[in-house]
Amino acid sequence: MKDGHDQDPPLVRLDAAELHFPVGGVVAQLQGRATVVKAVDGVTFELRRGESVGLLGESGCGKTSTGRMLVRLDKATGGRVEFDGEDVSGLTGDALKRFRSRVQLIFQNPFEALNPRFTIRDVLAEPLENARIPRAEHEERILRAMALVKLGDAGQFMDRYPHQLSGGQLQRIVMARALILEPEFVVADEPVSMLDVSVRAGVLNVFRDVRAQQGITAIYISHDLALVRYVCERTIVMYLGRIVEDGPTEDIVANPLHPYTQALVAAVPVPHPDQSHAPLPIGRGAPDPRNPPSGCTFRDRCPRAFDRCAVEAPGPTYVQNRIVHCHLHEPKT
Amino acid sequence: MTQPLLTLKDLSIAYRVGDQDTIAVEGASFDVQPGSIVGLVGESGCGKTTLARSLTRVLAGNARIAGGEAIFDGRDIMALSERAMNGLRWREIAFIPQSAMNSLDPVYTVGTQLAEVLIRRGGLGRSAARTRAEELFEWVGIETNRLGDYPHQFSGGMRQRVAIALALALDPKLIIADEPVTALDVIVQRQILDQLRELKERLGISVILVTHDISVVAYVCDRVVVMYAGRVVETGPMAATLTAPAHPYTMGLRNAFPDLASAAGELTPIEGAPPDLASPPPGCRFAPRCPFAEARCRTDVPGLDIYDGDHLAACHRIAEAETLRARAVASETWEAPA
C-alpha cells in the first residue's frame, strides 16, 4: 500500500508473481496445441506485519493459487514471492523447515483436514514433534492452543477422535493446530464455508480475536465480502488471475471503484427484506481462464468498457488510499 | 386467500438406522400458495432436504413416511401409487438439485437430455421438442446454440441454468430447489435468483427453496419456514419473519449473519450444536441452546401457535416475543444459556 510512512520492511511481498499451469496432455503438447492457464498472472502486493488482508474473488480468480504460493505449496513460475526479505521459492533444507513453522495454512474443510485415526491430542502434538519441541512442553502448549481457540474444557476433547466433534469444534482444532507453533503469518482459505451459520460466527470471532491479540499477519481467502469485512481491514479483489482493486475494506464496501468490484458489492445478498433487486452492472457469462480476453480481462463483462480496454491491460493507478487497475481511473494525460 | 397449491399436514419422515427409527422430520405443517416462493431454512441435519425430497418421493432406501400428508392440487402425494407419482414428476412437480452435475448425464448433450424429457415424458414430437428446448434455453438465458454442448462444457452457473431449464420443461406448477445456489459465486447466485423470481412472476410457478442462507430468503422468498432439529419452529411472511422473528432460534440466526448493508457489527454465534436426532431432548429441541429457556421448555413440546395473522412460531414464550427480541440483539444474552 502507498502509505507514506511504512518504515518497517513488509513481512510478505509479491512482485509480479505468476503461477501458470500447462493444460493438455502429451499428445496436445506434441501437436503444439497445449496452452497454459494463468492461474495467477502478475500479482503484486505487500503485507505489513500485523495486517489482516482479505483475498476476494470468484472461483477461478486465482485467490487460492495465490495463497498456495504464499505458503509454498506451489512454487511461483514467475516473479517473486518473499517472506521476511527472503525469496520463498529458493528455500531448502533447514531454511524451508523454519519457514514452515513460521507460516501456516488453515484449510477450508475441517472434516477432511484432520487424520481420522489421530486423537485430538495427537493432531496437536504432530506439529510440535515436527518442529522438535521437547516432549515435556507438549501438554502445556496443547492446552494453551486450545484455550486460544476457546475450547475451554480441553480435557474433554483431548482423547476424542475427529468424528466425535462437531464442525465448529473441528475447525477450532484446525486453527489450534495452525497456531500451536506461534506462526507469524497465517493463510486461511475459506475457513468457515463448510460450517453452519449458527456456529460460523464463533469460529470467525476466534480467528479475528486471536489474530489481533497475537499480532499475526493474515490472509483470509473468500468469495464472501461480508465475511472478509468482518475479519480484514484491507481487501484485495482479484479477477482472472490479476488484482483489480486493493484498499481498506470499509472503503471498498462503501464505494467500490473498479466496475467488477461494483458488481461484486451489489451482488451480495443482505439478510433483510428491503434491498435492491436492480439488475447487476455486469455481463453474463463466466470467463474462460484458458482464453481470457485481450487487454483488460474483465472488459467483455464490463458495462463501461471502451476501445482502449481491448488493447491494453490496465496497470495500477493510485486513487486516494487505493490501488485500482482500470483505465477509467487513470489520470487524463 | 386462494386455495393453496400444496398443504403439508403433520408430515413425519423416519430413517431406519440399525433397529431404531430416527425421526428426521416431525409433524411438519405449512402451505405453499400458487405463484409464491417459500424458503425452507435451517442448518445441516434439520430435516429440510429430507422434507423437500419427500415431496418428489425420492427418499433414501431406509427412509419412510411415518405419518401425515402432503396435499398437492387435491391429491395426497404420500398416498399415491408409484405409477401415479411418476405421472406427477416433471409434469407437476420438478426438482432442482444442489449440484446440477448430479442431475445431468455426462455422456449426452444437454439438448438430448432436454429432448428426452420432452419426448418421453411430455409426449412431444421431435421438432416440437426442439422448439420447446430452444424456448427453455432462452428463458433461462443460455444461447440456443449451446444445446449441442455436453454438461462439462458449461460452467457451474450455466449448468445450474440447464437444470432449471430441465425442471421447467413440462411446465410444472411446483419446483423444489435444494440449495440451488449454494455452490455458486455471488454474482452467478444473484443471476440465478433473479431467474427464479422472474419465472414465478411470468409463469406463476411456485418454488420451495431449500437454503441455509437467510440472505437468499430475504432476496427472493415470499414466505419462510424455519426448521430446527426436525421440526418447524417458525413460519410466516418473509418480511415479518425476518424483521420481527417470534422464535429465539430465528432471532439467533439473525445475529449470526453478517450484513453488508449495515455498519460492521459483532456477529454472535448460537453456542452449542443441534441435538442428535437419534436421542433428542424432551420438550423444545432448541431449549439446550436457548438463552430464554424455562423449566417447561425442557419438558413440554411447544406447538406451532399464531404469533400474528399467518405468522406462527413454536415457542412457549411466544407472548413475550417482543421483549425477547429486544434482549436477543445483545450478544451477552447468547453467551451463557440459562
Side-chain angles (χ1 to χ4, degrees):
Chain A
M1 291 294 308
K2 200 173 86 170
D3 207 25
H5 47 81
D6 40 351
Q7 62 281 73
D8 289 346
L11 181 66
V12 175
R13 202 169 78 88
L14 263 71
D15 185 10
E18 287 178 359
L19 187 60
H20 292 182
F21 294 105
V23 286
V26 180
V27 177
Q29 281 173 15
L30 289 174
Q31 292 175 335
R33 285 192 291 111
T35 49
V36 289
V37 167
K38 298 173 177 174
V40 181
D41 192 25
V43 162
T44 299
F45 64 81
E46 291 181 353
L47 304 181
R48 291 190 311 264
R49 255 174 218 282
E51 248 192 319
S52 68
V53 177
L55 215 48
L56 181 76
E58 296 173 279
S59 43
C61 75
K63 57 189 192 300
T64 293
S65 295
T66 303
R68 290 174 63 92
M69 281 197 298
L70 287 170
V71 299
R72 230 199 82 170
L73 274 179
D74 284 318
K75 272 193 195 185
T77 54
R80 249 175 106 81
V81 179
E82 280 178 20
F83 178 75
D84 205 8
E86 269 188 294
D87 184 354
V88 167
S89 307
L91 295 176
T92 51
D94 282 350
L96 181 59
K97 251 196 169 145
R98 249 193 330 274
F99 172 77
R100 294 246 183 263
S101 67
R102 295 173 72 190
V103 174
Q104 293 290 331
L105 181 67
I106 297 175
F107 290 96
Q108 181 170 16
N109 189 345
F111 303 95
E112 288 175 358
L114 303 176
N115 187 332
R117 290 159 200 257
F118 276 19
T119 63
I120 299 308
R121 187 195 307 273
D122 299 336
V123 162
L124 294 174
E126 194 185 25
L128 298 174
E129 303 258 356
N130 292 343
R132 306 218 176 85
I133 306 285
R135 279 275 161 83
E137 290 177 33
H138 284 196
E139 189 78 3
E140 193 215 318
R141 289 190 70 153
I142 289 174
L143 290 174
R144 214 186 320 149
M146 288 180 81
L148 215 51
V149 297
K150 302 230 169 69
L151 282 172
D153 190 7
Q156 178 200 333
F157 296 106
M158 293 279 250
D159 298 307
R160 293 207 205 163
Y161 290 89
H163 75 268
Q164 296 171 300
L165 270 59
S166 71
Q169 289 165 341
L170 283 179
Q171 195 55 299
R172 285 171 199 232
I173 296 292
V174 170
M175 275 202 271
R177 185 177 63 174
L179 295 169
I180 201 159
L181 293 174
E182 297 174 1
E184 292 154 70
F185 178 42
V186 168
V187 174
D189 190 358
E190 304 256 18
V192 298
S193 65
M194 305 295 288
L195 302 180
D196 270 317
V197 177
S198 72
V199 297
R200 199 181 262 196
V203 173
L204 283 172
N205 286 342
V206 165
F207 180 85
R208 191 187 59 168
D209 297 347
V210 172
R211 196 206 66 75
Q213 269 167 37
Q214 315 271 311
I216 298 169
T217 310
I219 285 273
Y220 189 98
I221 298 171
S222 180
H223 69 283
D224 187 335
L225 180 55
L227 294 182
V228 164
R229 181 199 194 198
Y230 193 62
V231 289
C232 302
E233 60 245 11
R234 176 180 154 203
T235 297
I236 297 173
V237 185
M238 291 184 69
Y239 186 81
L240 270 192
R242 296 179 190 167
I243 292 177
V244 295
E245 189 161 353
D246 176 352
T249 308
E250 284 304 317
D251 294 349
I252 285 182
V253 170
N255 177 30
L257 294 178
H258 194 285
Y260 174 65
T261 323
Q262 288 168 353
L264 206 56
V265 171
V268 177
V270 292
H272 37 76
D274 41 326
Q275 58 181 303
S276 164
H277 290 89
L280 289 180
I282 188 171
R284 263 180 183 169
D288 179 359
R290 263 179 280 193
N291 188 19
S294 63
C296 173
T297 50
F298 182 59
R299 70 174 165 85
D300 61 338
R301 298 173 78 191
C302 181
R304 300 176 64 191
F306 58 106
D307 305 350
R308 200 162 144 212
C309 305
V311 188
E312 193 186 333
T317 306
Y318 293 87
V319 183
Q320 298 147 30
N321 51 3
R322 258 180 276 181
I323 301 173
V324 188
H325 293 249
C326 176
H327 290 309
L328 290 169
H329 293 279
E330 285 168 0
K332 310 267 180 297
T333 46
Chain B
M1 192 164 280
T2 48
Q3 184 73 17
L5 177 65
L6 174 73
T7 299
L8 296 196
K9 277 189 209 150
D10 251 335
L11 186 68
S12 295
I13 302 160
Y15 284 97
R16 190 89 185 155
V17 180
D19 54 0
Q20 201 199 343
D21 265 350
T22 294
I23 313 287
V25 175
E26 188 177 274
S29 300
F30 62 87
D31 289 344
V32 176
Q33 296 296 329
S36 72
I37 303 185
V38 175
L40 193 55
V41 195
E43 300 179 79
S44 38
C46 75
K48 59 188 192 300
T49 293
T50 298
L51 175 54
R53 294 192 146 254
S54 77
L55 298 175
T56 56
R57 291 245 312 258
V58 181
L59 283 170
N62 62 338
R64 66 182 172 84
I65 308 298
E69 46 191 22
I71 309 295
F72 174 82
D73 234 9
R75 290 157 291 182
D76 179 7
I77 294 174
M78 304 305 161
L80 289 179
S81 67
E82 190 48 39
R83 196 191 148 96
M85 187 64 215
N86 234 340
L88 223 59
R89 284 189 199 117
W90 298 95
R91 287 190 199 97
E92 307 269 333
I93 302 176
F95 189 76
I96 303 173
Q98 177 168 160
S99 165
M101 209 49 188
N102 298 340
S103 71
L104 298 172
D105 191 327
V107 303
Y108 295 104
T109 67
V110 294
T112 306
Q113 295 182 55
L114 255 177
E116 161 146 345
V117 170
L118 291 166
I119 295 166
R120 304 241 326 245
R121 297 227 172 216
L124 267 65
R126 202 149 277 283
S127 79
R130 176 81 204 175
T131 312
R132 174 73 177 160
E134 285 175 1
E135 180 184 44
L136 288 165
F137 261 40
E138 274 163 25
W139 272 353
V140 298
I142 311 177
E143 284 168 37
T144 52
N145 61 15
R146 300 210 60 186
L147 279 165
D149 286 354
Y150 291 89
H152 76 267
Q153 291 172 293
F154 291 87
S155 66
M158 290 300 243
R159 273 202 296 267
Q160 211 58 14
R161 284 176 206 265
V162 173
I164 294 176
L166 262 173
L168 289 172
L170 302 183
D171 239 338
K173 297 192 178 93
L174 177 66
I175 291 181
I176 318 272
D178 186 9
E179 303 263 14
V181 297
T182 302
L184 304 175
D185 286 310
V186 279
I187 289 173
V188 188
Q189 173 176 326
R190 165 72 167 265
Q191 289 167 339
I192 297 284
L193 292 176
D194 284 339
Q195 197 88 64
L196 285 178
R197 273 164 58 91
E198 197 193 319
L199 293 170
K200 176 194 86 169
E201 274 152 27
R202 271 177 50 189
L203 308 173
I205 287 175
S206 296
V207 181
I208 294 180
L209 183 71
V210 178
T211 180
H212 66 282
D213 189 338
I214 55 175
S215 299
V216 166
V217 170
Y219 190 72
V220 288
C221 293
D222 302 295
R223 288 186 65 84
V224 52
V225 176
V226 183
M227 290 187 71
Y228 185 79
R231 292 182 186 149
V232 172
V233 294
E234 182 158 9
T235 172
M238 182 275 286
T241 311
L242 293 190
T243 51
H247 195 284
Y249 175 62
T250 319
M251 298 175 198
L253 273 187
R254 249 187 0 162
N255 288 343
F257 242 90
D259 178 0
L260 207 61
S262 309
E266 280 298 295
L267 297 184
T268 310
I270 304 174
E271 295 295 339
D276 179 0
L277 288 181
S279 53
C284 171
R285 289 182 176 170
F286 187 59
R289 301 172 80 188
C290 182
F292 310 122
E294 302 174 331
R296 61 181 159 158
C297 303
R298 297 189 185 90
T299 51
D300 304 346
V301 178
L304 210 50
D305 286 331
I306 292 174
Y307 174 61
D308 181 17
D310 56 351
H311 181 180
L312 316 176
C315 175
H316 287 304
R317 301 186 69 181
I318 190 167
E320 303 163 72
E322 199 174 340
T323 325
L324 300 187
R325 252 195 322 270
R327 286 173 57 196
V329 176
S331 54
E332 306 86 77
T333 304
W334 296 86
E335 267 162 24

